[in-house]
PDB file of all heavy atoms in Angstrom:
ATOM      1  N   LEU A 250      11.756  -0.031 -29.936  1.00  0.00           N
ATOM      2  CA  LEU A 250      12.069  -0.926 -31.135  1.00  0.00           C
ATOM      3  C   LEU A 250      11.983  -2.432 -30.677  1.00  0.00           C
ATOM      4  O   LEU A 250      12.910  -3.189 -30.900  1.00  0.00           O
ATOM      5  CB  LEU A 250      13.461  -0.614 -31.736  1.00  0.00           C
ATOM      6  CG  LEU A 250      13.557   0.872 -32.262  1.00  0.00           C
ATOM      7  CD1 LEU A 250      15.009   1.065 -32.661  1.00  0.00           C
ATOM      8  CD2 LEU A 250      12.645   0.987 -33.489  1.00  0.00           C
ATOM      9  N   ASN A 251      10.949  -2.697 -29.953  1.00  0.00           N
ATOM     10  CA  ASN A 251      10.923  -4.003 -29.265  1.00  0.00           C
ATOM     11  C   ASN A 251      10.976  -5.121 -30.188  1.00  0.00           C
ATOM     12  O   ASN A 251      11.813  -6.128 -29.954  1.00  0.00           O
ATOM     13  CB  ASN A 251       9.571  -4.078 -28.448  1.00  0.00           C
ATOM     14  CG  ASN A 251       9.483  -5.372 -27.571  1.00  0.00           C
ATOM     15  OD1 ASN A 251       8.919  -6.345 -28.028  1.00  0.00           O
ATOM     16  ND2 ASN A 251      10.088  -5.336 -26.438  1.00  0.00           N
ATOM     17  N   GLU A 252      10.204  -5.150 -31.292  1.00  0.00           N
ATOM     18  CA  GLU A 252      10.177  -6.267 -32.251  1.00  0.00           C
ATOM     19  C   GLU A 252      11.514  -6.444 -32.910  1.00  0.00           C
ATOM     20  O   GLU A 252      12.090  -7.571 -33.004  1.00  0.00           O
ATOM     21  CB  GLU A 252       9.090  -6.085 -33.246  1.00  0.00           C
ATOM     22  CG  GLU A 252       8.911  -7.280 -34.174  1.00  0.00           C
ATOM     23  CD  GLU A 252       7.701  -7.104 -35.133  1.00  0.00           C
ATOM     24  OE1 GLU A 252       6.934  -6.040 -35.023  1.00  0.00           O
ATOM     25  OE2 GLU A 252       7.528  -7.921 -36.041  1.00  0.00           O
ATOM     26  N   TRP A 253      12.084  -5.343 -33.352  1.00  0.00           N
ATOM     27  CA  TRP A 253      13.401  -5.409 -34.017  1.00  0.00           C
ATOM     28  C   TRP A 253      14.446  -5.919 -33.062  1.00  0.00           C
ATOM     29  O   TRP A 253      15.287  -6.777 -33.398  1.00  0.00           O
ATOM     30  CB  TRP A 253      13.807  -4.073 -34.628  1.00  0.00           C
ATOM     31  CG  TRP A 253      13.225  -3.820 -36.015  1.00  0.00           C
ATOM     32  CD1 TRP A 253      12.080  -3.256 -36.332  1.00  0.00           C
ATOM     33  CD2 TRP A 253      13.953  -4.147 -37.197  1.00  0.00           C
ATOM     34  NE1 TRP A 253      11.858  -3.236 -37.687  1.00  0.00           N
ATOM     35  CE2 TRP A 253      13.077  -3.785 -38.228  1.00  0.00           C
ATOM     36  CE3 TRP A 253      15.173  -4.694 -37.538  1.00  0.00           C
ATOM     37  CZ2 TRP A 253      13.386  -3.883 -39.660  1.00  0.00           C
ATOM     38  CZ3 TRP A 253      15.479  -4.772 -38.951  1.00  0.00           C
ATOM     39  CH2 TRP A 253      14.619  -4.459 -39.892  1.00  0.00           C
ATOM     40  N   SER A 254      14.440  -5.323 -31.848  1.00  0.00           N
ATOM     41  CA  SER A 254      15.484  -5.764 -30.893  1.00  0.00           C
ATOM     42  C   SER A 254      15.291  -7.156 -30.503  1.00  0.00           C
ATOM     43  O   SER A 254      16.348  -7.863 -30.258  1.00  0.00           O
ATOM     44  CB  SER A 254      15.271  -4.824 -29.584  1.00  0.00           C
ATOM     45  OG  SER A 254      15.478  -3.567 -29.977  1.00  0.00           O
ATOM     46  N   GLU A 255      14.059  -7.663 -30.381  1.00  0.00           N
ATOM     47  CA  GLU A 255      13.864  -9.018 -30.063  1.00  0.00           C
ATOM     48  C   GLU A 255      14.466  -9.971 -31.163  1.00  0.00           C
ATOM     49  O   GLU A 255      15.074 -11.013 -30.850  1.00  0.00           O
ATOM     50  CB  GLU A 255      12.407  -9.314 -29.836  1.00  0.00           C
ATOM     51  CG  GLU A 255      12.045 -10.747 -29.280  1.00  0.00           C
ATOM     52  CD  GLU A 255      12.498 -10.955 -27.838  1.00  0.00           C
ATOM     53  OE1 GLU A 255      12.427 -10.072 -27.121  1.00  0.00           O
ATOM     54  OE2 GLU A 255      12.905 -12.051 -27.637  1.00  0.00           O
ATOM     55  N   ASN A 256      14.057  -9.603 -32.384  1.00  0.00           N
ATOM     56  CA  ASN A 256      14.512 -10.500 -33.502  1.00  0.00           C
ATOM     57  C   ASN A 256      16.052 -10.431 -33.709  1.00  0.00           C
ATOM     58  O   ASN A 256      16.661 -11.512 -34.164  1.00  0.00           O
ATOM     59  CB  ASN A 256      13.857  -9.990 -34.795  1.00  0.00           C
ATOM     60  CG  ASN A 256      12.361 -10.260 -34.753  1.00  0.00           C
ATOM     61  OD1 ASN A 256      11.801 -11.066 -34.064  1.00  0.00           O
ATOM     62  ND2 ASN A 256      11.575  -9.466 -35.572  1.00  0.00           N
ATOM     63  N   LEU A 257      16.687  -9.352 -33.440  1.00  0.00           N
ATOM     64  CA  LEU A 257      18.053  -9.226 -33.579  1.00  0.00           C
ATOM     65  C   LEU A 257      18.838  -9.736 -32.390  1.00  0.00           C
ATOM     66  O   LEU A 257      20.167  -9.790 -32.382  1.00  0.00           O
ATOM     67  CB  LEU A 257      18.549  -7.872 -33.903  1.00  0.00           C
ATOM     68  CG  LEU A 257      17.955  -7.289 -35.145  1.00  0.00           C
ATOM     69  CD1 LEU A 257      18.333  -5.751 -35.317  1.00  0.00           C
ATOM     70  CD2 LEU A 257      18.624  -7.931 -36.404  1.00  0.00           C
ATOM     71  N   GLY A 258      18.143 -10.175 -31.302  1.00  0.00           N
ATOM     72  CA  GLY A 258      18.842 -10.748 -30.122  1.00  0.00           C
ATOM     73  C   GLY A 258      19.483  -9.736 -29.204  1.00  0.00           C
ATOM     74  O   GLY A 258      20.145 -10.152 -28.240  1.00  0.00           O
ATOM     75  N   ILE A 259      19.063  -8.465 -29.379  1.00  0.00           N
ATOM     76  CA  ILE A 259      19.656  -7.443 -28.475  1.00  0.00           C
ATOM     77  C   ILE A 259      19.140  -7.563 -27.039  1.00  0.00           C
ATOM     78  O   ILE A 259      19.876  -7.597 -26.082  1.00  0.00           O
ATOM     79  CB  ILE A 259      19.340  -6.073 -29.035  1.00  0.00           C
ATOM     80  CG1 ILE A 259      20.002  -5.908 -30.402  1.00  0.00           C
ATOM     81  CG2 ILE A 259      19.896  -5.005 -28.050  1.00  0.00           C
ATOM     82  CD1 ILE A 259      19.616  -4.592 -31.129  1.00  0.00           C
ATOM     83  N   ILE A 260      17.746  -7.806 -26.906  1.00  0.00           N
ATOM     84  CA  ILE A 260      17.181  -7.870 -25.587  1.00  0.00           C
ATOM     85  C   ILE A 260      17.765  -9.095 -24.900  1.00  0.00           C
ATOM     86  O   ILE A 260      18.145  -9.001 -23.675  1.00  0.00           O
ATOM     87  CB  ILE A 260      15.682  -7.990 -25.729  1.00  0.00           C
ATOM     88  CG1 ILE A 260      15.164  -6.644 -26.357  1.00  0.00           C
ATOM     89  CG2 ILE A 260      15.028  -8.306 -24.358  1.00  0.00           C
ATOM     90  CD1 ILE A 260      13.638  -6.704 -26.544  1.00  0.00           C
ATOM     91  N   ARG A 261      17.810 -10.194 -25.521  1.00  0.00           N
ATOM     92  CA  ARG A 261      18.262 -11.432 -24.799  1.00  0.00           C
ATOM     93  C   ARG A 261      19.753 -11.256 -24.340  1.00  0.00           C
ATOM     94  O   ARG A 261      20.073 -11.639 -23.217  1.00  0.00           O
ATOM     95  CB  ARG A 261      18.205 -12.683 -25.716  1.00  0.00           C
ATOM     96  CG  ARG A 261      18.720 -13.929 -25.152  1.00  0.00           C
ATOM     97  CD  ARG A 261      18.730 -14.971 -26.162  1.00  0.00           C
ATOM     98  NE  ARG A 261      19.324 -14.682 -27.461  1.00  0.00           N
ATOM     99  CZ  ARG A 261      20.671 -14.664 -27.607  1.00  0.00           C
ATOM    100  NH1 ARG A 261      21.449 -15.025 -26.646  1.00  0.00           N
ATOM    101  NH2 ARG A 261      21.182 -14.331 -28.772  1.00  0.00           N
ATOM    102  N   ARG A 262      20.587 -10.775 -25.161  1.00  0.00           N
ATOM    103  CA  ARG A 262      21.951 -10.619 -24.877  1.00  0.00           C
ATOM    104  C   ARG A 262      22.223  -9.588 -23.705  1.00  0.00           C
ATOM    105  O   ARG A 262      23.040  -9.729 -22.855  1.00  0.00           O
ATOM    106  CB  ARG A 262      22.756 -10.240 -26.067  1.00  0.00           C
ATOM    107  CG  ARG A 262      22.782 -11.404 -27.080  1.00  0.00           C
ATOM    108  CD  ARG A 262      23.225 -10.941 -28.420  1.00  0.00           C
ATOM    109  NE  ARG A 262      24.655 -10.581 -28.490  1.00  0.00           N
ATOM    110  CZ  ARG A 262      25.331 -10.015 -29.595  1.00  0.00           C
ATOM    111  NH1 ARG A 262      24.591  -9.747 -30.681  1.00  0.00           N
ATOM    112  NH2 ARG A 262      26.574  -9.660 -29.509  1.00  0.00           N
ATOM    113  N   CYS A 263      21.392  -8.517 -23.695  1.00  0.00           N
ATOM    114  CA  CYS A 263      21.482  -7.495 -22.621  1.00  0.00           C
ATOM    115  C   CYS A 263      21.042  -8.095 -21.285  1.00  0.00           C
ATOM    116  O   CYS A 263      21.646  -7.859 -20.273  1.00  0.00           O
ATOM    117  CB  CYS A 263      20.717  -6.312 -22.925  1.00  0.00           C
ATOM    118  SG  CYS A 263      21.401  -5.159 -24.151  1.00  0.00           S
ATOM    119  N   ILE A 264      19.936  -8.886 -21.381  1.00  0.00           N
ATOM    120  CA  ILE A 264      19.503  -9.452 -20.036  1.00  0.00           C
ATOM    121  C   ILE A 264      20.462 -10.472 -19.519  1.00  0.00           C
ATOM    122  O   ILE A 264      20.687 -10.458 -18.348  1.00  0.00           O
ATOM    123  CB  ILE A 264      18.099 -10.119 -20.357  1.00  0.00           C
ATOM    124  CG1 ILE A 264      17.035  -9.061 -20.608  1.00  0.00           C
ATOM    125  CG2 ILE A 264      17.749 -11.047 -19.234  1.00  0.00           C
ATOM    126  CD1 ILE A 264      15.622  -9.529 -20.924  1.00  0.00           C
ATOM    127  N   ASP A 265      21.066 -11.298 -20.396  1.00  0.00           N
ATOM    128  CA  ASP A 265      22.003 -12.276 -20.024  1.00  0.00           C
ATOM    129  C   ASP A 265      23.221 -11.572 -19.344  1.00  0.00           C
ATOM    130  O   ASP A 265      23.732 -11.941 -18.308  1.00  0.00           O
ATOM    131  CB  ASP A 265      22.530 -13.051 -21.171  1.00  0.00           C
ATOM    132  CG  ASP A 265      21.440 -14.078 -21.671  1.00  0.00           C
ATOM    133  OD1 ASP A 265      20.481 -14.331 -20.940  1.00  0.00           O
ATOM    134  OD2 ASP A 265      21.632 -14.564 -22.831  1.00  0.00           O
TER     135      ASP A 265
END
Side-chain angles (χ1 to χ4, degrees):
L250 298 170
N251 185 268
E252 185 175 353
W253 273 88
S254 300
E255 185 71 35
N256 293 336
L257 295 174
I259 299 174
I260 295 178
R261 176 184 55 79
R262 293 163 71 185
C263 285
I264 290 177
D265 290 345

